[in-house]
Amino acid sequence: MRVCILGSGLSSLTLAKSLVNQKIYVDVLYSKKIYPVNKTRTIGISKSNIEFFNEKIINIEKIIYKLNKIEIYSDNLEKQKLVSFGNNSDYLFSIVKNHKLQEILQKNLFKNKYFKKTNYKANINYSKDYDLVFITDYNHPITKKYFNKKIEKKYNSVAYTTIIKHNKISNNIAVQIFTKNGPLAFLPISEYETSVVYSINNYLKGEIEINKLINNYNVKYNLKKINKIHSFELKGLSLRSYFHKNILAFGDLLHRIHPLAGQGFNMTIRDIKILNNLIQNKIDLGLPLDSKLNTEFEKNQKHKNYIFFSAIDLIHEFFNLERKTKNNFLSKSIQYFNKNSSINKTFIKIADKGLLF
Ligand SMILES: Cc1cc2nc3c(=O)[nH]c(=O)nc-3n(C[C@H](O)[C@H](O)[C@H](O)COP(=O)(O)OP(=O)(O)OC[C@H]3O[C@@H](n4cnc5c(N)ncnc54)[C@H](O)[C@@H]3O)c2cc1C
C-alpha cells in the first residue's frame, strides 16, 4: 500500500509517522517554498492525545512540559478568577514547541524505509500512482480545484505569539485572561520560559503596544526578556466536503479554529486516531485502502468536528458580546455553574478527548 501526503507541515508529518507505523509506504510531497522556522510557536496537547502520540505515533515525553491547572480570568470580572480546571495531583495537558515536534518527527521519518520526502513533481497521476492521497497544503492546485467550498469565519483578529523569559518559578499553571482586546494566554514551557498567545481584536498593531499589554497583564513573572513577536491573522473554517475520490483533506486545511481553547492540532490528532483505527480494520480484513475509507472517515468525524468548530466559535462570540455590552451577567453565570463539580469535569473531558468520551 502506498499513499502520498501533499504538504509538509505538522499535520502532514504526524500523519506520515502514524501511517509508516502501520507499514504503509508514504511519499510526502512539498513545494520548494522556504518557510522560516518560527521558534515562538507552541502547542498545547491534551493528556489523552499525548498518551496516543506516545503509544501510536512517537514518544515525545522528552520535549513536552506538563501542566496541572488552567485558570481563566476575565476583565469583565475585574480580573477575578472566572473558572479553574485541574488539580495538583495529575497533569491536564502539555505544552510543546512546534519546531521541536516537527524536528523529532522529521528525524525519525528519514530513518524509516517506508518514508520518502520529495519536491512536487509534474505529471503525477494521483488516482493511479497512489491508493490514497492526503492533502494539507492550502496552495496546491488540487485544494483550489476540489476543496474550496467551506464555512468560513473571519475573526477580525490577529494572534500575537512570543516566548517570555523570566526568573525561575514553579510554573505548572496555564492562565487565560479574556481581556477587553481579546483572549491572552500564558502557557508555561519550563520553570524559566512561558509562551504567550494574545489574540487581539481590530488589528491593534505594533510590537511596543503588545509588549506593554503583556506587561500589564503579567502578575506572576519577574520578566527578563520578551522574545520577538510573531503575528498570524485568525480565520476559522470547516470544509463542506472532506474528500474528492481518493483524495482526503487533512489538518488545518480541513478545519481551522480560533486558538483560544488550544484545540486546533488536538482535533487533527483525534482525526488521526480515527483514521488509524479505520485503516487497521481494513488491513486486518485484507481490504484495500481506497475512497471508501474517505467516506467512512467523513461519516465518523465531520459532525463531531463541526460541533467542536461551532462550540469554540460560540465561546469567542460569547466573550465578544460581553465585552461589547459591558455586562458581566454571562461571566457570573459561568462562575456559578462551574462550581458544580460534574459540569467542571465535563468541560475537562471535552477538552481532553473531544466528543468521543
Ligand atoms: C497562535 C496559535 C496558537 C495555537 N495553539 C494551539 C494549541 O495550543 N493547541 C492546539 O491543538 N492547536 C493550536 N493551534 C493550532 C495548530 O497550530 C494548527 O492546528 C497546526 O499547526 C496546523 O498544522 P498543519 O500542518 O495542518 O498546518 P500548517 O502548519 O499551516 O501547514 C499547512 C501547509 O502549509 C505549508 N507550511 C506551512 N508552514 C510550513 C512549515 N513551517 N514547513 C513546511 N511547510 C509549511 C505546508 O504545505 C503545509 O503542509 C494554534 C494555532 C495558532 C495560530
PDB file of all heavy atoms in Angstrom, residues 119-138:
ATOM      1  N   ASN A 119      10.234  17.018  -3.525  1.00  0.00           N
ATOM      2  CA  ASN A 119       9.512  18.186  -4.044  1.00  0.00           C
ATOM      3  C   ASN A 119       8.353  17.737  -4.927  1.00  0.00           C
ATOM      4  O   ASN A 119       8.374  16.631  -5.464  1.00  0.00           O
ATOM      5  CB  ASN A 119      10.450  19.045  -4.895  1.00  0.00           C
ATOM      6  CG  ASN A 119      11.450  19.794  -4.038  1.00  0.00           C
ATOM      7  OD1 ASN A 119      12.567  19.986  -4.459  1.00  0.00           O
ATOM      8  ND2 ASN A 119      11.070  20.210  -2.859  1.00  0.00           N
ATOM      9  N   TYR A 120       7.384  18.638  -5.099  1.00  0.00           N
ATOM     10  CA  TYR A 120       6.274  18.332  -6.015  1.00  0.00           C
ATOM     11  C   TYR A 120       6.826  18.009  -7.394  1.00  0.00           C
ATOM     12  O   TYR A 120       7.782  18.648  -7.857  1.00  0.00           O
ATOM     13  CB  TYR A 120       5.340  19.532  -6.140  1.00  0.00           C
ATOM     14  CG  TYR A 120       4.481  19.772  -4.917  1.00  0.00           C
ATOM     15  CD1 TYR A 120       4.286  21.057  -4.429  1.00  0.00           C
ATOM     16  CD2 TYR A 120       3.857  18.714  -4.272  1.00  0.00           C
ATOM     17  CE1 TYR A 120       3.485  21.289  -3.317  1.00  0.00           C
ATOM     18  CE2 TYR A 120       3.062  18.930  -3.165  1.00  0.00           C
ATOM     19  CZ  TYR A 120       2.878  20.213  -2.685  1.00  0.00           C
ATOM     20  OH  TYR A 120       2.104  20.433  -1.594  1.00  0.00           O
ATOM     21  N   LYS A 121       6.206  16.995  -8.037  1.00  0.00           N
ATOM     22  CA  LYS A 121       6.653  16.644  -9.385  1.00  0.00           C
ATOM     23  C   LYS A 121       5.487  16.847 -10.346  1.00  0.00           C
ATOM     24  O   LYS A 121       4.326  16.704  -9.952  1.00  0.00           O
ATOM     25  CB  LYS A 121       7.049  15.157  -9.438  1.00  0.00           C
ATOM     26  CG  LYS A 121       8.286  14.836  -8.627  1.00  0.00           C
ATOM     27  CD  LYS A 121       8.571  13.354  -8.650  1.00  0.00           C
ATOM     28  CE  LYS A 121       8.008  12.689  -7.423  1.00  0.00           C
ATOM     29  NZ  LYS A 121       8.247  11.294  -7.283  1.00  0.00           N
ATOM     30  N   ALA A 122       5.844  17.159 -11.595  1.00  0.00           N
ATOM     31  CA  ALA A 122       4.769  17.291 -12.594  1.00  0.00           C
ATOM     32  C   ALA A 122       4.353  15.882 -13.013  1.00  0.00           C
ATOM     33  O   ALA A 122       5.043  14.907 -12.717  1.00  0.00           O
ATOM     34  CB  ALA A 122       5.290  18.076 -13.783  1.00  0.00           C
ATOM     35  N   ASN A 123       3.249  15.778 -13.675  1.00  0.00           N
ATOM     36  CA  ASN A 123       2.769  14.521 -14.268  1.00  0.00           C
ATOM     37  C   ASN A 123       2.565  13.363 -13.299  1.00  0.00           C
ATOM     38  O   ASN A 123       2.825  12.219 -13.629  1.00  0.00           O
ATOM     39  CB  ASN A 123       3.722  14.031 -15.388  1.00  0.00           C
ATOM     40  CG  ASN A 123       3.933  15.096 -16.420  1.00  0.00           C
ATOM     41  OD1 ASN A 123       2.988  15.850 -16.699  1.00  0.00           O
ATOM     42  ND2 ASN A 123       5.138  15.195 -16.947  1.00  0.00           N
ATOM     43  N   ILE A 124       2.112  13.663 -12.095  1.00  0.00           N
ATOM     44  CA  ILE A 124       1.738  12.555 -11.205  1.00  0.00           C
ATOM     45  C   ILE A 124       0.267  12.257 -11.447  1.00  0.00           C
ATOM     46  O   ILE A 124      -0.549  13.183 -11.532  1.00  0.00           O
ATOM     47  CB  ILE A 124       1.945  12.932  -9.725  1.00  0.00           C
ATOM     48  CG1 ILE A 124       3.433  13.076  -9.430  1.00  0.00           C
ATOM     49  CG2 ILE A 124       1.332  11.890  -8.788  1.00  0.00           C
ATOM     50  CD1 ILE A 124       3.754  13.329  -7.981  1.00  0.00           C
ATOM     51  N   ASN A 125      -0.039  10.978 -11.550  1.00  0.00           N
ATOM     52  CA  ASN A 125      -1.440  10.608 -11.659  1.00  0.00           C
ATOM     53  C   ASN A 125      -1.875  10.127 -10.265  1.00  0.00           C
ATOM     54  O   ASN A 125      -1.608   8.991  -9.886  1.00  0.00           O
ATOM     55  CB  ASN A 125      -1.601   9.497 -12.703  1.00  0.00           C
ATOM     56  CG  ASN A 125      -3.061   9.214 -12.943  1.00  0.00           C
ATOM     57  OD1 ASN A 125      -3.894   9.415 -12.049  1.00  0.00           O
ATOM     58  ND2 ASN A 125      -3.378   8.752 -14.139  1.00  0.00           N
ATOM     59  N   TYR A 126      -2.500  11.047  -9.516  1.00  0.00           N
ATOM     60  CA  TYR A 126      -2.768  10.749  -8.102  1.00  0.00           C
ATOM     61  C   TYR A 126      -3.706   9.556  -7.914  1.00  0.00           C
ATOM     62  O   TYR A 126      -3.600   8.840  -6.940  1.00  0.00           O
ATOM     63  CB  TYR A 126      -3.317  11.990  -7.391  1.00  0.00           C
ATOM     64  CG  TYR A 126      -2.261  13.056  -7.208  1.00  0.00           C
ATOM     65  CD1 TYR A 126      -2.258  14.196  -8.004  1.00  0.00           C
ATOM     66  CD2 TYR A 126      -1.252  12.906  -6.274  1.00  0.00           C
ATOM     67  CE1 TYR A 126      -1.277  15.172  -7.864  1.00  0.00           C
ATOM     68  CE2 TYR A 126      -0.261  13.862  -6.124  1.00  0.00           C
ATOM     69  CZ  TYR A 126      -0.282  14.997  -6.913  1.00  0.00           C
ATOM     70  OH  TYR A 126       0.692  15.941  -6.770  1.00  0.00           O
ATOM     71  N   SER A 127      -4.630   9.348  -8.867  1.00  0.00           N
ATOM     72  CA  SER A 127      -5.546   8.220  -8.646  1.00  0.00           C
ATOM     73  C   SER A 127      -4.898   6.891  -9.018  1.00  0.00           C
ATOM     74  O   SER A 127      -5.268   5.849  -8.495  1.00  0.00           O
ATOM     75  CB  SER A 127      -6.875   8.444  -9.377  1.00  0.00           C
ATOM     76  OG  SER A 127      -6.605   8.663 -10.712  1.00  0.00           O
ATOM     77  N   LYS A 128      -3.912   6.915  -9.962  1.00  0.00           N
ATOM     78  CA  LYS A 128      -3.277   5.648 -10.362  1.00  0.00           C
ATOM     79  C   LYS A 128      -2.035   5.332  -9.532  1.00  0.00           C
ATOM     80  O   LYS A 128      -1.771   4.190  -9.191  1.00  0.00           O
ATOM     81  CB  LYS A 128      -2.886   5.719 -11.843  1.00  0.00           C
ATOM     82  CG  LYS A 128      -4.078   5.527 -12.760  1.00  0.00           C
ATOM     83  CD  LYS A 128      -3.645   5.025 -14.105  1.00  0.00           C
ATOM     84  CE  LYS A 128      -4.879   4.757 -14.958  1.00  0.00           C
ATOM     85  NZ  LYS A 128      -4.769   5.346 -16.266  1.00  0.00           N
ATOM     86  N   ASP A 129      -1.245   6.380  -9.246  1.00  0.00           N
ATOM     87  CA  ASP A 129       0.052   6.142  -8.584  1.00  0.00           C
ATOM     88  C   ASP A 129      -0.088   5.842  -7.087  1.00  0.00           C
ATOM     89  O   ASP A 129       0.818   5.284  -6.479  1.00  0.00           O
ATOM     90  CB  ASP A 129       0.985   7.349  -8.761  1.00  0.00           C
ATOM     91  CG  ASP A 129       1.310   7.586 -10.230  1.00  0.00           C
ATOM     92  OD1 ASP A 129       1.021   6.684 -11.026  1.00  0.00           O
ATOM     93  OD2 ASP A 129       1.823   8.669 -10.562  1.00  0.00           O
ATOM     94  N   TYR A 130      -1.219   6.272  -6.489  1.00  0.00           N
ATOM     95  CA  TYR A 130      -1.374   6.106  -5.032  1.00  0.00           C
ATOM     96  C   TYR A 130      -2.746   5.525  -4.686  1.00  0.00           C
ATOM     97  O   TYR A 130      -3.742   5.869  -5.313  1.00  0.00           O
ATOM     98  CB  TYR A 130      -1.212   7.463  -4.330  1.00  0.00           C
ATOM     99  CG  TYR A 130       0.185   8.018  -4.462  1.00  0.00           C
ATOM    100  CD1 TYR A 130       0.461   9.050  -5.364  1.00  0.00           C
ATOM    101  CD2 TYR A 130       1.232   7.499  -3.701  1.00  0.00           C
ATOM    102  CE1 TYR A 130       1.737   9.554  -5.497  1.00  0.00           C
ATOM    103  CE2 TYR A 130       2.524   7.997  -3.828  1.00  0.00           C
ATOM    104  CZ  TYR A 130       2.773   9.017  -4.725  1.00  0.00           C
ATOM    105  OH  TYR A 130       4.041   9.514  -4.853  1.00  0.00           O
ATOM    106  N   ASP A 131      -2.761   4.686  -3.638  1.00  0.00           N
ATOM    107  CA  ASP A 131      -4.051   4.174  -3.148  1.00  0.00           C
ATOM    108  C   ASP A 131      -4.859   5.339  -2.574  1.00  0.00           C
ATOM    109  O   ASP A 131      -6.052   5.463  -2.819  1.00  0.00           O
ATOM    110  CB  ASP A 131      -3.819   3.125  -2.047  1.00  0.00           C
ATOM    111  CG  ASP A 131      -3.069   1.917  -2.577  1.00  0.00           C
ATOM    112  OD1 ASP A 131      -3.582   1.323  -3.537  1.00  0.00           O
ATOM    113  OD2 ASP A 131      -1.981   1.602  -2.063  1.00  0.00           O
ATOM    114  N   LEU A 132      -4.181   6.162  -1.775  1.00  0.00           N
ATOM    115  CA  LEU A 132      -4.854   7.318  -1.162  1.00  0.00           C
ATOM    116  C   LEU A 132      -3.938   8.526  -1.210  1.00  0.00           C
ATOM    117  O   LEU A 132      -2.715   8.378  -1.184  1.00  0.00           O
ATOM    118  CB  LEU A 132      -5.173   7.041   0.308  1.00  0.00           C
ATOM    119  CG  LEU A 132      -6.343   6.121   0.629  1.00  0.00           C
ATOM    120  CD1 LEU A 132      -6.383   5.850   2.132  1.00  0.00           C
ATOM    121  CD2 LEU A 132      -7.674   6.729   0.195  1.00  0.00           C
ATOM    122  N   VAL A 133      -4.557   9.702  -1.270  1.00  0.00           N
ATOM    123  CA  VAL A 133      -3.785  10.954  -1.237  1.00  0.00           C
ATOM    124  C   VAL A 133      -4.359  11.816  -0.117  1.00  0.00           C
ATOM    125  O   VAL A 133      -5.579  11.971  -0.011  1.00  0.00           O
ATOM    126  CB  VAL A 133      -3.917  11.701  -2.589  1.00  0.00           C
ATOM    127  CG1 VAL A 133      -3.195  13.050  -2.540  1.00  0.00           C
ATOM    128  CG2 VAL A 133      -3.379  10.849  -3.731  1.00  0.00           C
ATOM    129  N   PHE A 134      -3.484  12.335   0.748  1.00  0.00           N
ATOM    130  CA  PHE A 134      -3.929  13.255   1.805  1.00  0.00           C
ATOM    131  C   PHE A 134      -3.389  14.631   1.442  1.00  0.00           C
ATOM    132  O   PHE A 134      -2.208  14.750   1.103  1.00  0.00           O
ATOM    133  CB  PHE A 134      -3.361  12.836   3.172  1.00  0.00           C
ATOM    134  CG  PHE A 134      -3.811  11.467   3.586  1.00  0.00           C
ATOM    135  CD1 PHE A 134      -3.042  10.341   3.275  1.00  0.00           C
ATOM    136  CD2 PHE A 134      -5.002  11.296   4.275  1.00  0.00           C
ATOM    137  CE1 PHE A 134      -3.456   9.076   3.648  1.00  0.00           C
ATOM    138  CE2 PHE A 134      -5.419  10.025   4.654  1.00  0.00           C
ATOM    139  CZ  PHE A 134      -4.647   8.915   4.342  1.00  0.00           C
ATOM    140  N   ILE A 135      -4.231  15.639   1.551  1.00  0.00           N
ATOM    141  CA  ILE A 135      -3.747  16.970   1.190  1.00  0.00           C
ATOM    142  C   ILE A 135      -3.844  17.927   2.388  1.00  0.00           C
ATOM    143  O   ILE A 135      -4.882  18.014   3.040  1.00  0.00           O
ATOM    144  CB  ILE A 135      -4.464  17.506  -0.081  1.00  0.00           C
ATOM    145  CG1 ILE A 135      -3.915  18.885  -0.461  1.00  0.00           C
ATOM    146  CG2 ILE A 135      -5.966  17.583   0.073  1.00  0.00           C
ATOM    147  CD1 ILE A 135      -4.115  19.228  -1.916  1.00  0.00           C
ATOM    148  N   THR A 136      -2.700  18.591   2.690  1.00  0.00           N
ATOM    149  CA  THR A 136      -2.670  19.524   3.826  1.00  0.00           C
ATOM    150  C   THR A 136      -2.258  20.926   3.363  1.00  0.00           C
ATOM    151  O   THR A 136      -2.192  21.841   4.165  1.00  0.00           O
ATOM    152  CB  THR A 136      -1.645  19.067   4.894  1.00  0.00           C
ATOM    153  OG1 THR A 136      -0.325  19.128   4.324  1.00  0.00           O
ATOM    154  CG2 THR A 136      -1.908  17.666   5.402  1.00  0.00           C
ATOM    155  N   ASP A 137      -1.932  21.056   2.078  1.00  0.00           N
ATOM    156  CA  ASP A 137      -1.354  22.301   1.551  1.00  0.00           C
ATOM    157  C   ASP A 137      -2.450  23.194   0.971  1.00  0.00           C
ATOM    158  O   ASP A 137      -3.106  22.827   0.000  1.00  0.00           O
ATOM    159  CB  ASP A 137      -0.330  21.904   0.466  1.00  0.00           C
ATOM    160  CG  ASP A 137       0.420  23.098  -0.077  1.00  0.00           C
ATOM    161  OD1 ASP A 137       0.009  24.238   0.191  1.00  0.00           O
ATOM    162  OD2 ASP A 137       1.418  22.880  -0.781  1.00  0.00           O
ATOM    163  N   TYR A 138      -2.611  24.383   1.559  1.00  0.00           N
ATOM    164  CA  TYR A 138      -3.678  25.309   1.100  1.00  0.00           C
ATOM    165  C   TYR A 138      -3.426  25.821  -0.324  1.00  0.00           C
ATOM    166  O   TYR A 138      -4.336  26.236  -1.010  1.00  0.00           O
ATOM    167  CB  TYR A 138      -3.780  26.560   1.977  1.00  0.00           C
ATOM    168  CG  TYR A 138      -3.456  26.380   3.432  1.00  0.00           C
ATOM    169  CD1 TYR A 138      -2.309  26.950   3.984  1.00  0.00           C
ATOM    170  CD2 TYR A 138      -4.314  25.657   4.272  1.00  0.00           C
ATOM    171  CE1 TYR A 138      -2.015  26.788   5.330  1.00  0.00           C
ATOM    172  CE2 TYR A 138      -4.008  25.491   5.611  1.00  0.00           C
ATOM    173  CZ  TYR A 138      -2.861  26.050   6.127  1.00  0.00           C
ATOM    174  OH  TYR A 138      -2.558  25.886   7.449  1.00  0.00           O
TER     175      TYR A 138
END
